[in-house]
Amino acid sequence: MTPPVPPGRHTFVCLDGHTAGNPVRLVIAGAPSLHGATMSARRADFIQNWDWVRRALMWEPRGHDLMSGAILYPALDESHDAALLFIEVDGCLPMCGHVTIGVVTFLIEKGLVAPREPGRLVLATPAGLISATYREEGGRVREVRFVNVPSYLAAAEVKLDVPGLGELVVDIAYGGNFYAIVEPQKNYAGLDQLSPEEILRLSPLVRRAARAALTPVHPEDPTISGVTHVMWTGAPRHPRAQGRNAVFYGERAIDRSPCGTGTSARLAQLAAKGRLRPGEAFIHESLIGTLFAARIEEELRLGPYPAIRPSVAGSAHLFGFNTLFVDPADPLGGGFSLWEPGGLPASPAGGGAA
């Protein structure tokens, strides 16, 4: 159960922007102190004791169905430059790629972190340490490439019975989150077949079926488990791209970017099936035509699984500062969602016309 908003007015200072079209909200002041020696442990503390912060900042009226972001924390030790806790409409994620690209851009352009090594930031996340390089021109960060956590194919060719589609065969892959990856097949001709409305309608059914079929668990961190995202794939439209995708997350969200952890999961799936080799470029196109440039940096093992270490590059843009107040005197001050379980306030009094 999510703790209620504590008494008093709470102030959060944020930077707002986007990466390849998907929103990024970075909280730079006002966040709670967390307990734990690692960001994975601190994520657990946040989920148990502070999730009202996520709801207030990600859900309406301050957020929306696509909102995602991170909370900036100081480095936990000398091995990295800063720490991140990822938050979005659906929960507190272990890792988020498009947010990482946005955060690095914001931190460097606004001078909020002094890198130990010029041109490179190392960030502690709940999924592990993330290394990101960046390219600056004229005071702007033009591109960020992050080297992600080890990614792997957790289960191949899982058969699902999806209402409205029939049998669907998916692969379950991990790239910081677990994805059900849907490739063109008998009952799915490809991404061009689906409208955004159909993606929103079918994706929860696919995710529900995938969750009923199996529960993947990260071999080194059991707090990371279960399919959270659905990736629909198809032929690219952009002349530089090798693939196109639409990723569904939350209850009503389609990623406008090509999705960083999703691209990592896709690379792990392709590598496991012998369709992509280390060093080969994989340009991933989003539903709106924006691009991420990815590649496999190395092959390795993750517990019993063959795995890869992927890198993903893209660009982000900062477009505003935001000072947000959360006050329990406001009956909707803790945030609300029309779609998320438990998203409606118990007593939605006030705010109506006389």
Side-chain angles (χ1 to χ4, degrees):
M1 182 176 179
T2 300
V5 179
R9 174 177 281 190
H10 307 272
T11 302
F12 299 90
V13 180
C14 309
L15 300 176
D16 278 358
H18 75 90
T19 299
N22 221 47
V24 178
R25 173 167 288 168
L26 176 62
V27 182
I28 60 174
S33 296
L34 300 177
H35 299 287
T38 65
M39 286 309 296
S40 179
R42 295 187 182 194
R43 172 178 175 252
D45 179 40
F46 182 91
I47 291 171
Q48 181 175 353
N49 299 303
W50 300 98
D51 199 48
W52 67 265
V53 174
R54 176 190 65 84
R55 295 187 177 205
L57 299 182
M58 298 288 103
W59 286 4
E60 297 180 61
R62 299 171 195 84
H64 49 73
D65 293 340
L66 300 182
M67 184 57 75
S68 57
I71 302 174
L72 177 66
Y73 284 99
L76 278 62
D77 57 48
E78 295 182 355
S79 67
H80 53 277
D81 299 284
L84 296 179
L85 184 77
F86 298 104
I87 53 177
E88 67 162 38
V89 289
D90 194 34
C92 188
L93 297 178
M95 173 58 188
C96 185
H98 91 273
V99 169
T100 298
I101 292 171
V103 166
V104 171
T105 300
F106 302 170
L107 293 180
I108 297 303
E109 289 190 353
K110 305 314 294 183
L112 296 175
V113 171
R116 295 173 306 140
E117 178 183 336
R120 180 174 180 261
L121 283 179
V122 179
L123 304 168
T125 77
L129 286 181
I130 302 298
S131 173
T133 56
Y134 56 90
R135 177 170 56 85
E136 285 185 280
E137 291 178 5
R140 298 286 185 89
V141 174
R142 301 299 181 181
E143 184 181 77
V144 174
R145 177 176 291 274
F146 70 92
V147 178
N148 202 4
V149 295
S151 304
Y152 70 102
L153 179 63
E157 299 180 4
V158 178
K159 293 183 179 180
L160 309 177
D161 184 15
V162 180
L165 279 180
E167 184 181 89
L168 207 60
V169 179
V170 304
D171 292 324
I172 308 299
Y174 176 80
N177 303 289
F178 283 106
Y179 286 77
I181 301 177
V182 189
E183 294 189 293
Q185 55 193 275
K186 178 182 177 181
N187 290 325
Y188 168 61
L191 190 54
D192 287 336
Q193 167 192 335
L194 297 182
S195 66
E197 291 81 5
E198 290 171 314
I199 293 173
L200 292 177
R201 179 177 62 85
L202 292 170
S203 295
L205 303 177
V206 173
R207 183 170 62 189
R208 188 177 306 129
R211 287 174 172 175
L214 77 167
T215 302
V217 179
H218 192 282
E220 295 182 352
D221 187 347
T223 68
I224 303 174
S225 65
V227 174
T228 53
H229 295 59
V230 176
M231 176 185 290
W232 302 89
T233 71
R237 293 179 177 178
H238 195 285
R240 290 179 52 215
Q242 282 78 48
R244 184 166 175 256
N245 84 99
V247 163
F248 173 86
Y249 64 97
E251 297 298 324
R252 297 284 298 175
I254 303 172
D255 200 325
R256 271 54 168 172
S257 83
C259 190
T261 59
T263 296
S264 299
R266 179 73 160 141
L267 263 60
Q269 176 221 21
L270 294 174
K273 295 194 166 190
R275 293 157 57 186
L276 190 69
R277 295 191 297 271
E280 291 180 342
F282 185 81
I283 309 298
H284 218 185
E285 182 182 1
S286 74
L287 196 62
I288 66 170
T290 53
L291 303 177
F292 281 168
R295 62 175 178 255
I296 298 170
E297 297 294 337
E298 63 173 327
E299 296 177 317
L300 41 81
R301 292 196 69 85
L302 186 63
Y305 299 97
I308 63 162
R309 190 177 297 279
S311 72
V312 181
S315 60
H317 297 272
L318 174 67
F319 54 64
F321 288 90
N322 228 336
T323 300
L324 300 173
F325 304 117
V326 178
D327 191 339
D330 177 353
L332 301 177
F336 67 92
S337 170
L338 297 180
W339 317 112
E340 297 288 337
L344 294 179
S347 301

